Amino acid sequence: MPHSYPLRLQALFAENADNETALPMKKYMKNHFEFFGIKSPLRRSLTRQFLQAEQRPAMEEIPQIIRELWAMPQREIHYFAIDFLANYRKEWDADILPLFEFMITTHSWWDSVDAISTELAGAFFKRFPALMHPRSTAWIESDNMWLQRTAIIFQRRYKEKTDEVLLFSHIRRRADETDFFIRKAIGWALREYAKTHPEAVQAFVGETPLSPLSVREALKHF
């Protein structure tokens, strides 16, 4: 039976839809998704309003709610789902990881994948560090570009806690990829890590064959 929670959220967002705003938002995302036309400040306000009015679902209900939210066509619903799931991080167990993988590989585009990488996957591996190596290695070795991107960038807020060996290993594994999103991810991950260990990044870039885009992004602030 469908859960009523996603339907109530969808109804609230639909009440605040703006078709004129939705068109450029849809165009910006290459027409991959539908939009209500709710800009981020209003979406955050509506989200707070919704969460205050609704009873907090139990953790055991969350996988169903997230999957039903993710099945809805409007992208603002997906953004809500990511933030909503992040709010339950203290209640996660290791079994939540397949749900993240479902979200990464379904309705995939850079906006959702980048948020999931940081807010969900990055937070998850801090909570369950023993799973970081095996699962992220499975992602980088997979045939799914978005799992690969996640494996490269999930540590971007780790700073001094970054597993440098793992990061550099994942980047080497995909260094010859021609896809823009992978090349961009490599440069982005290195640029973020350079804020903590610039010498290590400079040395890595100097000794590793990378695309010009990756190098340019990695060394952007040097």
Side-chain angles (χ1 to χ4, degrees):
M1 174 180 289
H3 201 289
S4 61
Y5 198 88
L7 295 174
R8 293 196 294 273
L9 175 73
Q10 189 180 46
L12 175 64
F13 279 14
E15 291 173 3
N16 291 271
D18 183 336
N19 290 333
E20 290 187 6
T21 304
L23 291 175
M25 293 173 75
K26 183 176 179 179
K27 184 177 180 180
Y28 181 66
M29 289 298 166
K30 307 296 184 183
N31 296 312
H32 288 305
F33 309 103
E34 297 299 323
F35 281 85
F36 284 116
I38 301 173
K39 294 183 178 180
S40 294
L42 177 57
R43 175 170 56 82
R44 295 189 188 102
S45 176
L46 292 173
T47 295
R48 287 193 297 271
Q49 173 186 330
F50 181 79
L51 294 177
Q52 289 170 0
E54 293 287 329
Q55 183 175 353
R56 180 178 170 87
M59 183 62 208
E60 54 265 28
E61 301 174 73
I62 297 305
Q64 178 185 353
I65 290 173
I66 295 297
R67 287 179 179 272
E68 291 180 11
L69 290 169
W70 215 252
M72 292 177 173
Q74 295 87 5
R75 201 57 164 168
E76 294 95 335
I77 297 286
H78 301 165
Y79 299 153
F80 173 92
I82 295 168
D83 294 340
F84 184 61
L85 186 51
N87 286 335
Y88 279 80
R89 62 171 57 92
K90 292 182 179 180
E91 300 176 54
W92 292 345
D93 59 27
D95 292 337
I96 201 70
L97 191 56
L99 182 60
F100 299 166
E101 294 172 338
F102 161 77
M103 296 166 75
I104 292 166
T105 58
T106 309
H107 301 313
S108 309
W109 200 239
W110 63 264
D111 57 334
S112 61
V113 169
D114 291 359
I116 293 166
S117 298
T118 303
E119 304 301 331
L120 302 184
F124 176 87
F125 289 131
K126 284 185 176 181
R127 186 172 173 85
F128 301 99
L131 295 176
M132 184 168 71
H133 278 248
R135 291 312 304 159
S136 69
T137 299
W139 293 349
I140 203 69
E141 295 289 345
S142 76
D143 294 328
N144 186 281
M145 175 187 71
W146 300 109
L147 287 174
Q148 294 169 12
R149 182 175 170 97
T150 302
I152 292 167
I153 66 173
F154 78 86
Q155 296 191 78
R156 70 184 183 90
R157 291 184 183 170
Y158 279 25
K159 299 180 180 180
E160 69 279 353
K161 294 182 179 180
T162 299
D163 186 325
E164 181 181 296
V165 173
L166 185 68
L167 174 64
F168 289 171
S169 174
H170 286 352
I171 290 173
R172 288 191 190 99
R173 178 65 182 84
R174 293 297 166 185
D176 60 352
E177 288 290 334
T178 59
D179 183 86
F180 169 83
F181 289 108
I182 297 301
R183 290 184 168 187
K184 188 82 170 180
I186 289 171
W188 186 20
L190 290 172
R191 185 173 76 243
E192 288 300 308
Y193 187 49
K195 296 175 183 178
T196 302
H197 287 295
E199 298 85 358
V201 170
Q202 282 184 306
F204 178 78
V205 171
E207 67 187 19
T208 307
L210 299 172
S211 71
L213 171 60
S214 296
V215 172
R216 185 167 63 250
E217 288 293 322
L219 303 180
K220 194 170 186 178
H221 299 309
F222 282 92

